Amino acid sequence: MTHSPLVWIGLGGVSADDNEAAHRWQHRLHWLMVAVALMSVPAYLLSTSELDPVWHDVASLLDFVILLAFVAELGWMMYLSSHPFRYFFENWLNVVIILGAAAAALGAATEWIAIVRAMRAAVAVLVGVRTAAELRVLFTRRGAPMLIGIAVLTLAILGALFYWLDPRIPTFADGLWLAFITGATVGYGDVVPSIAATRLVAVLTVLIGVALMTLFTANVVAYFIGGEEARMRENLQRDVVTLRDDIEKLLDAEEFRLTLELHKEIRQLREELARVRADLQALQLRTGKDG
């Protein structure tokens, strides 16, 4: 039975003791399902915007794509898994996404559509955060430039959304400022979202901002710990080299000592053989005289 903390938020995935096919397909479908989950954001923005009605049809189409993709993914993974019911309960967030997409796609009440779309957008952010967490390079010293680039690009996109959607935000600079203070959870109040769509974007900005700040914190910790770890590794390698040299010296000294002892024993053995030979010759001489 798995004990992963992701189980509590319905993102347990395939358990460690499941079969190889389930693990292989989870890896194959991971990025595809992240992309599908993130489609809930444009689906909401298009459905709540005052654009041409054709864009509302596009939003409904996105809802159906999300619904079908998650139903197919859940059904296929339960079919592959050796523990289908465990997979179902440990990935309950997929069921929430399916219910939310079904409610939006099948035309539930307007109030419920707003709720389930907001919920699915939050779910998409959670899945995206888990995906970002799997990019281990972000937690290393080399990941800092990539992390800064992701943060700048994300703030630019969110600022553009604020500017495009909210009529009370007159410039892109104001939208960018709103994205920054919202993501940093500062909230000065000089610029605020005024419609439902930009309020949802604000919710997403807070979630993304908290996730990015967490990654920045982990990156800073990795920077200091990584430097200390590198120094410890160098010291350890130096100690290993020194120890190897000492061992080689000891082996050489021991070999030299053994060689000396061997020569000494051979010399003593030769002396013993010489004495035995002399004794035999003396014995032969006495025997000849007696004869």
Side-chain angles (χ1 to χ4, degrees), residues 230-245:
R231 287 191 294 271
M232 292 177 61
R233 190 181 298 113
E234 291 176 359
N235 293 334
L236 180 60
Q237 185 175 5
R238 191 181 304 111
D239 292 340
V240 169
V241 172
T242 303
L243 182 60
R244 184 181 297 130
D245 292 338

Side-chain angles (χ1 to χ4, degrees), residues 198-244:
T198 49
R199 287 170 184 163
L200 175 63
V201 175
V203 172
L204 296 177
T205 305
V206 170
L207 294 173
I208 294 173
V210 171
L212 287 175
M213 284 190 290
T214 303
L215 291 176
F216 269 117
T217 303
N219 193 273
V220 171
V221 173
Y223 178 82
F224 289 104
I225 293 179
E228 183 66 24
E229 183 180 355
R231 287 191 294 271
M232 292 177 61
R233 190 181 298 113
E234 291 176 359
N235 293 334
L236 180 60
Q237 185 175 5
R238 191 181 304 111
D239 292 340
V240 169
V241 172
T242 303
L243 182 60
R244 184 181 297 130

Side-chain angles (χ1 to χ4, degrees), residues 45 71 98 100 103 145 150 230 258 269 289:
L45 295 176
V71 168
I98 290 172
I150 292 174
L258 290 174
L269 182 60
K289 290 179 180 180

Side-chain angles (χ1 to χ4, degrees), residues 70-239:
F70 273 89
V71 168
E73 191 261 351
L74 180 63
W76 178 245
M77 293 306 299
M78 288 183 65
Y79 170 77
L80 292 176
S81 176
S82 302
H83 314 284
F85 292 104
R86 184 201 299 181
Y87 180 87
F88 180 86
F89 288 110
E90 291 184 352
N91 294 272
W92 56 265
L93 200 53
N94 290 338
V95 181
V96 174
I97 296 174
I98 290 172
L99 294 177
L106 299 177
T110 304
E111 296 81 4
W112 286 105
I113 289 179
I115 292 174
V116 297
R117 282 180 175 163
M119 176 181 61
R120 287 191 292 108
V123 167
V125 172
L126 288 174
V127 178
V129 169
R130 187 182 74 170
T131 303
E134 293 183 359
L135 296 175
R136 297 184 179 180
V137 68
L138 296 178
F139 297 93
T140 65
R141 304 172 73 184
R142 296 179 291 104
M146 182 186 300
L147 193 57
I148 293 174
I150 292 174
V152 171
L153 179 61
T154 302
L155 288 177
I157 294 174
L158 293 171
L161 286 175
F162 281 124
Y163 169 61
W164 177 54
L165 293 172
D166 201 317
R168 295 189 181 181
I169 300 178
T171 65
F172 172 70
D174 289 331
L176 191 61
W177 173 245
L178 178 58
F180 176 78
I181 61 176
T182 304
T185 64
V186 176
Y188 288 116
D190 54 343
V191 183
V192 296
S194 61
I195 62 175
T198 49
R199 287 170 184 163
L200 175 63
V201 175
V203 172
L204 296 177
T205 305
V206 170
L207 294 173
I208 294 173
V210 171
L212 287 175
M213 284 190 290
T214 303
L215 291 176
F216 269 117
T217 303
N219 193 273
V220 171
V221 173
Y223 178 82
F224 289 104
I225 293 179
E228 183 66 24
E229 183 180 355
R231 287 191 294 271
M232 292 177 61
R233 190 181 298 113
E234 291 176 359
N235 293 334
L236 180 60
Q237 185 175 5
R238 191 181 304 111
D239 292 340

